[in-house]
Amino acid sequence: MQNKRVRKAVIPAAGLGTRFLPATKSLPKEMLPIVDVPNIQHIVKEAVDSGIESILIITSGTKGAIEHHFDYDFELETRLRQSGKDELADQVHAIGDMADIFYVRQKNPKGLGHAILCAKDFVGDEPFAILLGDDLVVPGPEEGPAIGHLIDCYERLGKTVVGVKKVDHAAISKYASVKPAGEACDDGSPFLLSDMVEKPRPEEAFTDYAILGRYVVTPDIFEILAHTAPGRNGEIQLTDALRQQALKGQAAAAVFPGTRYDIGDKFGYVKAVIDFALFREDIGPQVREYLEQLVKEK
Ligand code: G1P
């Protein structure tokens, strides 16, 4: 039997963004701009570029700006057109056409696993993608989108596939560490997992292959999540539910392509902004000159 196509994606965006206060007091952290594009727009684009048709964004009380961003704004467009800024108006309009986007609120901040459980009705009985906004992945010139790679792996295997990359051993405690059933592969091919653990101490980690915010998951995860007790930090952890699949030989990992930025971290965010600015046609040369000057002066 052919594996079902992956058509739906879930983007959890309910977190408080405490690491970016005071900016995130009224601004959703997902709306923080990477130069002039809000991070969540990059995430939605990655999903759309990978063939995803419908997206569910899991929000919470203060996230209204996300919905406005993916809506049309007639007043803004009209004003832009009246002042001859048609190109900008088209650009703003196109954001409303990116995908079919749905929203649901996570009413209780009980963890990532609980947030994903809020997607049960939207997803139904299909495999689906999960993209975490704190992980921004930029494909290289010859590379496709990260989630697209995991979708390809899923379509071959018919099992859950988590996206991983090797991190520094000391950093593994920020992530989930996976245990390959056999040899791990660095070339992007999927490899079966036998276990995984959420945010282990370095000495408890299975390997330094960390799950970095990209997943394609089979829908039986919802039944598992409904029975998953709170784990690390007292939260219902997605990793604990995925672990149940891994223990049954039903989960794999694949190293995904692209450069990944941890933009939930202040330094990671600044790096992303600098890199994006450097590669922009409009301001790139100016930014490069400025940085070179800065290095000479220090
Ligand atoms: C979450 C997941 C963790 C994963 C990480 C990826 O943690 O719980 O398993 O490795 O995202 O960035 P968070 O960073 O939300 O605490």
Side-chain angles (χ1 to χ4, degrees):
M1 198 182 74
Q2 231 198 334
N3 295 316
K4 280 191 182 164
R5 266 190 63 218
V6 181
R7 305 181 305 126
K8 296 178 180 176
V10 175
I11 303 178
L16 286 178
T18 34
R19 283 189 285 179
F20 276 86
L21 281 168
T24 48
K25 189 177 171 198
S26 61
L27 178 76
K29 70 169 174 171
E30 295 76 15
M31 292 299 293
L32 288 171
I34 311 296
V35 186
D36 52 8
V37 175
N39 181 50
I40 195 160
Q41 190 180 323
H42 288 293
I43 305 289
V44 167
K45 183 169 186 304
E46 179 186 332
V48 171
D49 288 349
S50 306
I52 294 293
E53 294 159 7
S54 329
I55 297 174
L56 178 73
I57 302 182
I58 318 247
T59 65
S60 60
T62 56
K63 305 285 182 156
I66 299 177
E67 292 184 39
H68 296 314
H69 187 71
F70 291 104
D71 195 359
Y72 296 139
D73 185 334
F74 288 106
E75 192 182 333
L76 175 63
E77 282 177 39
T78 309
R79 284 175 184 229
L80 287 172
R81 290 194 199 285
Q82 277 167 354
S83 48
K85 296 184 174 140
D86 285 295
E87 207 181 307
L88 202 52
D90 291 344
Q91 216 179 312
V92 162
H93 185 84
I95 299 168
D97 287 334
M98 287 180 81
D100 275 338
I101 305 190
F102 301 80
Y103 300 89
V104 67
R105 282 195 183 188
Q106 182 188 16
K107 291 182 220 151
N108 252 323
K110 291 201 218 159
L112 180 59
H114 177 260
I116 297 301
L117 196 47
C118 300
K120 185 172 186 280
D121 286 349
F122 166 80
V123 169
D125 193 25
E126 299 184 27
F128 64 106
I130 302 174
L131 298 94
L132 305 189
D134 281 351
D135 300 280
L136 174 62
V137 187
V138 183
E142 303 293 312
E143 293 170 332
I147 199 69
H149 177 67
L150 302 186
I151 291 174
D152 290 346
C153 294
Y154 166 81
E155 286 175 352
R156 280 184 5 229
L157 280 179
K159 296 176 199 278
T160 284
V161 184
V162 299
V164 296
K165 278 188 190 288
K166 249 189 180 167
V167 297
D168 291 341
H169 187 56
I172 194 70
S173 53
K174 292 200 281 180
Y175 307 107
S177 157
V178 300
K179 181 179 184 186
E183 283 287 302
C185 306
D186 280 314
D187 64 0
S189 324
F191 49 95
L192 264 190
L193 298 179
S194 59
D195 207 345
M196 61 179 77
V197 56
E198 175 71 9
K199 300 194 175 74
R201 283 199 298 268
E203 63 275 18
E204 295 163 347
F206 291 123
T207 61
D208 295 337
Y209 287 96
I211 303 181
L212 296 177
R214 297 292 181 277
Y215 314 74
V216 175
V217 183
T218 51
D220 54 306
I221 201 74
F222 294 115
E223 191 52 35
I224 304 174
L225 277 170
H227 297 100
T228 298
R232 186 72 69 198
N233 302 330
E235 295 179 345
I236 297 175
Q237 295 292 350
L238 176 60
T239 304
D240 292 343
L242 294 168
R243 173 169 190 258
Q244 296 307 315
Q245 295 184 324
L247 292 175
K248 290 194 216 124
Q250 293 303 313
V255 173
F256 58 80
T259 305
R260 174 247 176 199
Y261 298 91
D262 176 6
I263 68 150
D265 170 76
K266 290 188 185 88
F267 180 52
Y269 175 74
V270 171
K271 275 203 277 193
V273 173
I274 292 175
D275 280 8
F276 271 70
L278 278 172
F279 286 101
R280 290 266 298 235
E281 271 177 28
D282 52 355
I283 55 168
Q286 246 177 312
V287 175
R288 182 169 302 276
E289 202 183 311
Y290 173 69
L291 290 177
E292 281 167 358
Q293 190 62 36
L294 210 62
V295 171
K296 264 192 235 151
E297 282 168 16
K298 297 284 158 194

